[in-house]
Amino acid sequence: MLLRLLNRLGILVASLVVSSVVVFAFMAVLPGDPARVALGVNASDAAVAQLRTDFGLDRPLPVQYVSWVTGLVTFDPGTSYVSGIAIAPQLVDRLQVTLILVGVAMLLALVVAVPMGTVMAVRHRKLSGLALSAVAQLGVAVPGFLAGILLITVFAVTLGWLPANGWTPPAQDPVMFVKQLILPVLSLGLVQAAVLTRYVRSAVLDVLREDYLRTARSKGLTPGRALVRHGLRNAAVPVVTVLGLQLATLLIGAVVVERVFVIPGLGSLLLDSVSQRDLIVVQDVVMLLVVAVLVVNFVVDLLYLVIDPRLRAGAR
Amino acid sequence: MRNTKSKTSLAVVAAVAAGSLALAACSAGSGGTSGGNGGPGSGGTGDAGDGALSIGLVAEPANLDFTKTDGAAIPQVLLYNVYQGLVQLDQNGDIKPGLATKWTVSDDRKTYTFDLASDAKFTNGAPFTADDAKFSIDRVKSAWTVSLKSAMNVVASTTVVSPTQLKVVLSKPSNDWLYRMTTRVGAMFSRTGVDDLAAKPVGTGPYSVGTWTRGDSIQLVRNDAYWGTKPAYKTVTFKYFKDPTALNNALLTGTINVIGTVQTPESLGQFENNDKYQVIEGTTNGEVVLSFNNGSGPMKNEKMRQAVRYAIDHKALVDTCWAGRGTLIGSMSVPTDPWYEDLTGLYPYDVAKAKALLQESGEAGQTLRLRIPTLPYATACGTVVKSQLEQAGFKVALDQLEFPAAWLTTVFKNADYDMSIVAHVEPRDMGAVFGDPTYYTRYTNPEFSALLAKADAGTEQEQVTDMKAAAKLLSETAAADWLFVLPNIIVADKGVTGLPKNAISESFDVTGLSGS
């Protein structure tokens, strides 16, 4: 058990190191000079050279890499090239926005997928079950940004029920916050719901074939009751795993959805920073996303060890 | 899928759910009790007094310190609204009083004496005096880092005559200096208010900076201690949209009340045919230049440059790529310049002439590299330029370079191009773009430089005469081709009045706005 834990931890650290090197290397080969972009079109070569020195861009690449990683490990992500402002508070602000978006979208996905998947499993031979399956298939096929554009066109521009875009901090105006959150969460969450529905369906189908359900039925419970009382909690195990894996997809989806809905989250920061060649910010944001995904997967792994006695025994 | 009996699993689901809910419920970002932004859904008729207005723009400032950070986005928000200069530009492009009530120029045109407003105050409570004016002008040379600071190089000395009078002596006569004083370089700072320019600007204007949500919006709040006429709106919020469609949608759904500058003229139909909105069209300083590399390659050949100019059908081009909006000019000057004249007649559309000149030039077989930035007007007009040139027998290779990064390096810094398309939006930039042989246009013409120098040193009448001659020379020698001047198109809710029709200063001036 301990050995397995250490093994997993080792994999986590190795993945982090490798991805940090890859992210840094990508930024190093990106064309364009951050200092020149920061100074604008009328800057003299001398001023650009001076700024490169100030940024530390004139140092050898390995030195730059080490100083960047040292900063990350000590929770100092550095200073933006373009604005000259510390990055840490910006990351915190933007992360809050993106987490709300992703969290609520995930919640929506669960709320839709669990009942829908269950019904699909229970009625998998009936027409209603097949119809739901078809809807889920459609949902998987529609990309988030397209869903977003369609939702804006219908509910904001045509019907005028909701704002087309924007973000209001909940403390400032809770009503507006909710209004502006609905459409982006739908475009992000419904796609996830469709994916998740299929997992729920297959997990519930697996459970339905288990002996203990038959036992429960023989005690006089209706099929529905038996499933709710004994089956769903078991079906939840693989679904939770999938949720962890889905986080990566959700975060990537959020980048696009934030752009469509003009939401100042991590995704918008990432895209703006790439176009401004604010490389240090790009590196920090990408690493933050990488860490989030890797850590969640690590936690899911651990949960598995805790949950599944067969794994604890070391048998696979 | 593995299925295992466990109670933990439900707990995890519950935890994920509860966590998300908690996150959604608790405050993200800073809690503030600001009055929200422009009354979404309200249709945006702010009543003068304590109304709020939201204006949608494209480029967000990186920070609020234009003394150290370049780019038009910062003065667009701050100049005239938060910071004021001794002088400022009006909507016709004329210089009028700002913090200086009047000024006199000596006979040798080197000494300027400014009489200052006696009741002006900074938002930090300090009174504005001649000491602050001297401090601000001197500080451009000592503390500013942006290239624009060179506008103050001509200042020899600044002297405080009295708390309300300042004398500035120039090392040589310069008409341009007073004009530059209307721009961000002339902004007046408080001697006790320059500690945190990037986040907390301190000026004498009718507004101060309120909440700034990075990546989203900057809110200006009315300065109730303002020394002049107080503006009608209590708050004006600038909201930023990278995507033109999102910007249009924000107005259509009432999130904003004004589109400050329309990026997609072809989308105007939805507003023009709707009596809820008004469309205002004015002019800018942005000449959309089809620039040539005068220093090397095929475009070094003057016949070649002239051939290109004859080959472009400007009217058809503007109709195709900018919805027919924008003035045709023919040289590096805009209709609001005092020395403007229409020079489109120098190179009328004439394919036969273009073909003949192309053959004469001896460069006919060369492929011209048209390297354009990924900006809306450039990508839209680049394909039109290419096809028009090909119809006249040119070979053109069109490359789109990512703006700013790739275009800046390839075209701007290394001049590795034959032609490009870029809007030069700075005011009175004839000298900046063509007067410096090391600039990316690589234009070298001593006669032209001499005219510019003479214009700057002469009387205002001489300045007009010499600048006219310079613009004509530039056009005759085909230093570039001028496609059109970017129009300034504003779309707003019907009730909003006092919008700045022309964008010819560096400011989006919101001080005169009011709502009905």
Side-chain angles (χ1 to χ4, degrees), chain B residues 177-198:
Chain B
W177 176 76
L178 188 66
Y179 181 82
R180 298 298 156 191
M181 287 294 286
T182 69
T183 67
R184 67 192 101 160
V185 181
M188 291 292 135
F189 296 85
S190 162
R191 282 164 296 160
T192 54
V194 291
D195 305 331
D196 189 6
L197 293 176

PDB file of all heavy atoms in Angstrom, chain B residues 177-198:
ATOM      1  N   TRP B 177       5.403  71.092 -30.737  1.00  0.00           N
ATOM      2  CA  TRP B 177       5.474  70.907 -29.290  1.00  0.00           C
ATOM      3  C   TRP B 177       4.125  71.208 -28.622  1.00  0.00           C
ATOM      4  O   TRP B 177       3.635  70.432 -27.814  1.00  0.00           O
ATOM      5  CB  TRP B 177       6.564  71.792 -28.674  1.00  0.00           C
ATOM      6  CG  TRP B 177       6.580  71.677 -27.193  1.00  0.00           C
ATOM      7  CD1 TRP B 177       7.087  70.629 -26.472  1.00  0.00           C
ATOM      8  CD2 TRP B 177       6.009  72.596 -26.249  1.00  0.00           C
ATOM      9  NE1 TRP B 177       6.865  70.841 -25.122  1.00  0.00           N
ATOM     10  CE2 TRP B 177       6.213  72.041 -24.961  1.00  0.00           C
ATOM     11  CE3 TRP B 177       5.352  73.816 -26.359  1.00  0.00           C
ATOM     12  CZ2 TRP B 177       5.778  72.670 -23.794  1.00  0.00           C
ATOM     13  CZ3 TRP B 177       4.925  74.452 -25.204  1.00  0.00           C
ATOM     14  CH2 TRP B 177       5.139  73.879 -23.936  1.00  0.00           C
ATOM     15  N   LEU B 178       3.514  72.346 -29.001  1.00  0.00           N
ATOM     16  CA  LEU B 178       2.242  72.707 -28.366  1.00  0.00           C
ATOM     17  C   LEU B 178       1.172  71.665 -28.711  1.00  0.00           C
ATOM     18  O   LEU B 178       0.344  71.301 -27.866  1.00  0.00           O
ATOM     19  CB  LEU B 178       1.780  74.104 -28.805  1.00  0.00           C
ATOM     20  CG  LEU B 178       0.568  74.614 -28.018  1.00  0.00           C
ATOM     21  CD1 LEU B 178       0.940  74.847 -26.556  1.00  0.00           C
ATOM     22  CD2 LEU B 178      -0.021  75.882 -28.621  1.00  0.00           C
ATOM     23  N   TYR B 179       1.237  71.141 -29.944  1.00  0.00           N
ATOM     24  CA  TYR B 179       0.274  70.112 -30.322  1.00  0.00           C
ATOM     25  C   TYR B 179       0.462  68.861 -29.455  1.00  0.00           C
ATOM     26  O   TYR B 179      -0.497  68.267 -28.970  1.00  0.00           O
ATOM     27  CB  TYR B 179       0.420  69.754 -31.806  1.00  0.00           C
ATOM     28  CG  TYR B 179      -0.567  68.705 -32.243  1.00  0.00           C
ATOM     29  CD1 TYR B 179      -1.867  69.062 -32.567  1.00  0.00           C
ATOM     30  CD2 TYR B 179      -0.214  67.362 -32.289  1.00  0.00           C
ATOM     31  CE1 TYR B 179      -2.795  68.100 -32.939  1.00  0.00           C
ATOM     32  CE2 TYR B 179      -1.133  66.398 -32.652  1.00  0.00           C
ATOM     33  CZ  TYR B 179      -2.418  66.773 -32.977  1.00  0.00           C
ATOM     34  OH  TYR B 179      -3.341  65.820 -33.337  1.00  0.00           O
ATOM     35  N   ARG B 180       1.720  68.474 -29.234  1.00  0.00           N
ATOM     36  CA  ARG B 180       1.985  67.277 -28.415  1.00  0.00           C
ATOM     37  C   ARG B 180       1.530  67.489 -26.972  1.00  0.00           C
ATOM     38  O   ARG B 180       1.260  66.529 -26.260  1.00  0.00           O
ATOM     39  CB  ARG B 180       3.471  66.911 -28.435  1.00  0.00           C
ATOM     40  CG  ARG B 180       4.018  66.545 -29.799  1.00  0.00           C
ATOM     41  CD  ARG B 180       3.360  65.332 -30.414  1.00  0.00           C
ATOM     42  NE  ARG B 180       3.479  65.351 -31.875  1.00  0.00           N
ATOM     43  CZ  ARG B 180       2.822  64.537 -32.694  1.00  0.00           C
ATOM     44  NH1 ARG B 180       1.996  63.625 -32.215  1.00  0.00           N
ATOM     45  NH2 ARG B 180       2.972  64.625 -34.002  1.00  0.00           N
ATOM     46  N   MET B 181       1.466  68.755 -26.546  1.00  0.00           N
ATOM     47  CA  MET B 181       0.990  69.030 -25.194  1.00  0.00           C
ATOM     48  C   MET B 181      -0.498  68.680 -25.033  1.00  0.00           C
ATOM     49  O   MET B 181      -0.997  68.582 -23.923  1.00  0.00           O
ATOM     50  CB  MET B 181       1.206  70.513 -24.829  1.00  0.00           C
ATOM     51  CG  MET B 181       2.668  70.885 -24.557  1.00  0.00           C
ATOM     52  SD  MET B 181       3.350  70.083 -23.086  1.00  0.00           S
ATOM     53  CE  MET B 181       2.539  71.024 -21.783  1.00  0.00           C
ATOM     54  N   THR B 182      -1.210  68.495 -26.145  1.00  0.00           N
ATOM     55  CA  THR B 182      -2.615  68.071 -26.044  1.00  0.00           C
ATOM     56  C   THR B 182      -2.717  66.561 -25.886  1.00  0.00           C
ATOM     57  O   THR B 182      -3.799  66.037 -25.653  1.00  0.00           O
ATOM     58  CB  THR B 182      -3.427  68.454 -27.307  1.00  0.00           C
ATOM     59  OG1 THR B 182      -2.974  67.655 -28.416  1.00  0.00           O
ATOM     60  CG2 THR B 182      -3.291  69.913 -27.660  1.00  0.00           C
ATOM     61  N   THR B 183      -1.598  65.843 -26.054  1.00  0.00           N
ATOM     62  CA  THR B 183      -1.621  64.378 -25.974  1.00  0.00           C
ATOM     63  C   THR B 183      -1.214  63.942 -24.568  1.00  0.00           C
ATOM     64  O   THR B 183      -1.031  64.770 -23.674  1.00  0.00           O
ATOM     65  CB  THR B 183      -0.651  63.766 -26.998  1.00  0.00           C
ATOM     66  OG1 THR B 183       0.693  64.099 -26.626  1.00  0.00           O
ATOM     67  CG2 THR B 183      -0.927  64.292 -28.400  1.00  0.00           C
ATOM     68  N   ARG B 184      -1.037  62.627 -24.399  1.00  0.00           N
ATOM     69  CA  ARG B 184      -0.692  62.103 -23.068  1.00  0.00           C
ATOM     70  C   ARG B 184       0.603  62.715 -22.524  1.00  0.00           C
ATOM     71  O   ARG B 184       0.775  62.831 -21.314  1.00  0.00           O
ATOM     72  CB  ARG B 184      -0.588  60.580 -23.121  1.00  0.00           C
ATOM     73  CG  ARG B 184       0.560  60.042 -23.951  1.00  0.00           C
ATOM     74  CD  ARG B 184       0.444  58.558 -24.216  1.00  0.00           C
ATOM     75  NE  ARG B 184      -0.064  58.303 -25.564  1.00  0.00           N
ATOM     76  CZ  ARG B 184       0.079  57.151 -26.215  1.00  0.00           C
ATOM     77  NH1 ARG B 184       0.682  56.144 -25.640  1.00  0.00           N
ATOM     78  NH2 ARG B 184      -0.396  56.993 -27.430  1.00  0.00           N
ATOM     79  N   VAL B 185       1.519  63.115 -23.420  1.00  0.00           N
ATOM     80  CA  VAL B 185       2.797  63.684 -22.972  1.00  0.00           C
ATOM     81  C   VAL B 185       2.571  64.968 -22.177  1.00  0.00           C
ATOM     82  O   VAL B 185       3.364  65.323 -21.311  1.00  0.00           O
ATOM     83  CB  VAL B 185       3.710  63.953 -24.194  1.00  0.00           C
ATOM     84  CG1 VAL B 185       5.040  64.525 -23.760  1.00  0.00           C
ATOM     85  CG2 VAL B 185       3.935  62.670 -24.964  1.00  0.00           C
ATOM     86  N   GLY B 186       1.450  65.643 -22.444  1.00  0.00           N
ATOM     87  CA  GLY B 186       1.177  66.889 -21.748  1.00  0.00           C
ATOM     88  C   GLY B 186       0.324  66.736 -20.500  1.00  0.00           C
ATOM     89  O   GLY B 186      -0.096  67.736 -19.906  1.00  0.00           O
ATOM     90  N   ALA B 187       0.057  65.498 -20.097  1.00  0.00           N
ATOM     91  CA  ALA B 187      -0.810  65.270 -18.929  1.00  0.00           C
ATOM     92  C   ALA B 187      -0.176  65.845 -17.663  1.00  0.00           C
ATOM     93  O   ALA B 187       1.036  65.749 -17.464  1.00  0.00           O
ATOM     94  CB  ALA B 187      -1.054  63.774 -18.746  1.00  0.00           C
ATOM     95  N   MET B 188      -1.023  66.438 -16.815  1.00  0.00           N
ATOM     96  CA  MET B 188      -0.536  67.076 -15.590  1.00  0.00           C
ATOM     97  C   MET B 188      -0.694  66.149 -14.387  1.00  0.00           C
ATOM     98  O   MET B 188      -1.792  65.670 -14.095  1.00  0.00           O
ATOM     99  CB  MET B 188      -1.311  68.374 -15.348  1.00  0.00           C
ATOM    100  CG  MET B 188      -0.963  69.444 -16.380  1.00  0.00           C
ATOM    101  SD  MET B 188       0.745  69.999 -16.166  1.00  0.00           S
ATOM    102  CE  MET B 188       1.313  70.003 -17.861  1.00  0.00           C
ATOM    103  N   PHE B 189       0.431  65.913 -13.701  1.00  0.00           N
ATOM    104  CA  PHE B 189       0.459  65.016 -12.546  1.00  0.00           C
ATOM    105  C   PHE B 189       0.653  65.829 -11.269  1.00  0.00           C
ATOM    106  O   PHE B 189       1.245  66.906 -11.290  1.00  0.00           O
ATOM    107  CB  PHE B 189       1.611  64.016 -12.679  1.00  0.00           C
ATOM    108  CG  PHE B 189       1.486  63.084 -13.842  1.00  0.00           C
ATOM    109  CD1 PHE B 189       1.928  63.449 -15.108  1.00  0.00           C
ATOM    110  CD2 PHE B 189       0.907  61.831 -13.688  1.00  0.00           C
ATOM    111  CE1 PHE B 189       1.814  62.591 -16.186  1.00  0.00           C
ATOM    112  CE2 PHE B 189       0.784  60.964 -14.754  1.00  0.00           C
ATOM    113  CZ  PHE B 189       1.241  61.344 -16.011  1.00  0.00           C
ATOM    114  N   SER B 190       0.186  65.249 -10.153  1.00  0.00           N
ATOM    115  CA  SER B 190       0.393  65.878  -8.855  1.00  0.00           C
ATOM    116  C   SER B 190       1.774  65.497  -8.330  1.00  0.00           C
ATOM    117  O   SER B 190       2.186  64.344  -8.452  1.00  0.00           O
ATOM    118  CB  SER B 190      -0.682  65.400  -7.883  1.00  0.00           C
ATOM    119  OG  SER B 190      -0.278  65.660  -6.556  1.00  0.00           O
ATOM    120  N   ARG B 191       2.463  66.455  -7.738  1.00  0.00           N
ATOM    121  CA  ARG B 191       3.786  66.146  -7.177  1.00  0.00           C
ATOM    122  C   ARG B 191       3.687  65.078  -6.092  1.00  0.00           C
ATOM    123  O   ARG B 191       4.648  64.386  -5.798  1.00  0.00           O
ATOM    124  CB  ARG B 191       4.413  67.430  -6.579  1.00  0.00           C
ATOM    125  CG  ARG B 191       4.997  68.367  -7.618  1.00  0.00           C
ATOM    126  CD  ARG B 191       5.225  69.739  -7.037  1.00  0.00           C
ATOM    127  NE  ARG B 191       3.960  70.360  -6.634  1.00  0.00           N
ATOM    128  CZ  ARG B 191       3.883  71.366  -5.769  1.00  0.00           C
ATOM    129  NH1 ARG B 191       4.977  71.844  -5.213  1.00  0.00           N
ATOM    130  NH2 ARG B 191       2.698  71.884  -5.458  1.00  0.00           N
ATOM    131  N   THR B 192       2.510  64.952  -5.493  1.00  0.00           N
ATOM    132  CA  THR B 192       2.343  63.954  -4.426  1.00  0.00           C
ATOM    133  C   THR B 192       1.479  62.789  -4.900  1.00  0.00           C
ATOM    134  O   THR B 192       0.914  62.059  -4.094  1.00  0.00           O
ATOM    135  CB  THR B 192       1.678  64.592  -3.193  1.00  0.00           C
ATOM    136  OG1 THR B 192       0.462  65.221  -3.630  1.00  0.00           O
ATOM    137  CG2 THR B 192       2.581  65.622  -2.560  1.00  0.00           C
ATOM    138  N   GLY B 193       1.356  62.626  -6.221  1.00  0.00           N
ATOM    139  CA  GLY B 193       0.433  61.600  -6.715  1.00  0.00           C
ATOM    140  C   GLY B 193       1.012  60.721  -7.807  1.00  0.00           C
ATOM    141  O   GLY B 193       0.289  60.302  -8.705  1.00  0.00           O
ATOM    142  N   VAL B 194       2.306  60.427  -7.754  1.00  0.00           N
ATOM    143  CA  VAL B 194       2.898  59.596  -8.799  1.00  0.00           C
ATOM    144  C   VAL B 194       3.502  58.302  -8.236  1.00  0.00           C
ATOM    145  O   VAL B 194       4.360  57.690  -8.842  1.00  0.00           O
ATOM    146  CB  VAL B 194       3.986  60.366  -9.598  1.00  0.00           C
ATOM    147  CG1 VAL B 194       3.358  61.465 -10.429  1.00  0.00           C
ATOM    148  CG2 VAL B 194       5.039  60.934  -8.676  1.00  0.00           C
ATOM    149  N   ASP B 195       3.021  57.881  -7.054  1.00  0.00           N
ATOM    150  CA  ASP B 195       3.604  56.692  -6.420  1.00  0.00           C
ATOM    151  C   ASP B 195       3.121  55.401  -7.063  1.00  0.00           C
ATOM    152  O   ASP B 195       3.847  54.418  -7.128  1.00  0.00           O
ATOM    153  CB  ASP B 195       3.240  56.660  -4.926  1.00  0.00           C
ATOM    154  CG  ASP B 195       3.663  57.936  -4.227  1.00  0.00           C
ATOM    155  OD1 ASP B 195       4.658  58.533  -4.698  1.00  0.00           O
ATOM    156  OD2 ASP B 195       3.001  58.332  -3.255  1.00  0.00           O
ATOM    157  N   ASP B 196       1.873  55.379  -7.525  1.00  0.00           N
ATOM    158  CA  ASP B 196       1.329  54.127  -8.058  1.00  0.00           C
ATOM    159  C   ASP B 196       0.536  54.408  -9.327  1.00  0.00           C
ATOM    160  O   ASP B 196      -0.668  54.175  -9.394  1.00  0.00           O
ATOM    161  CB  ASP B 196       0.430  53.459  -6.996  1.00  0.00           C
ATOM    162  CG  ASP B 196       0.026  52.051  -7.411  1.00  0.00           C
ATOM    163  OD1 ASP B 196       0.542  51.575  -8.444  1.00  0.00           O
ATOM    164  OD2 ASP B 196      -0.815  51.446  -6.729  1.00  0.00           O
ATOM    165  N   LEU B 197       1.240  54.926 -10.333  1.00  0.00           N
ATOM    166  CA  LEU B 197       0.566  55.321 -11.574  1.00  0.00           C
ATOM    167  C   LEU B 197      -0.069  54.134 -12.283  1.00  0.00           C
ATOM    168  O   LEU B 197      -1.071  54.279 -12.973  1.00  0.00           O
ATOM    169  CB  LEU B 197       1.558  56.009 -12.510  1.00  0.00           C
ATOM    170  CG  LEU B 197       2.092  57.362 -12.042  1.00  0.00           C
ATOM    171  CD1 LEU B 197       3.130  57.894 -13.010  1.00  0.00           C
ATOM    172  CD2 LEU B 197       0.946  58.354 -11.902  1.00  0.00           C
ATOM    173  N   ALA B 198       0.505  52.944 -12.104  1.00  0.00           N
ATOM    174  CA  ALA B 198       0.004  51.774 -12.832  1.00  0.00           C
ATOM    175  C   ALA B 198      -1.385  51.363 -12.361  1.00  0.00           C
ATOM    176  O   ALA B 198      -2.143  50.752 -13.102  1.00  0.00           O
ATOM    177  CB  ALA B 198       0.976  50.602 -12.677  1.00  0.00           C
TER     178      ALA B 198
END
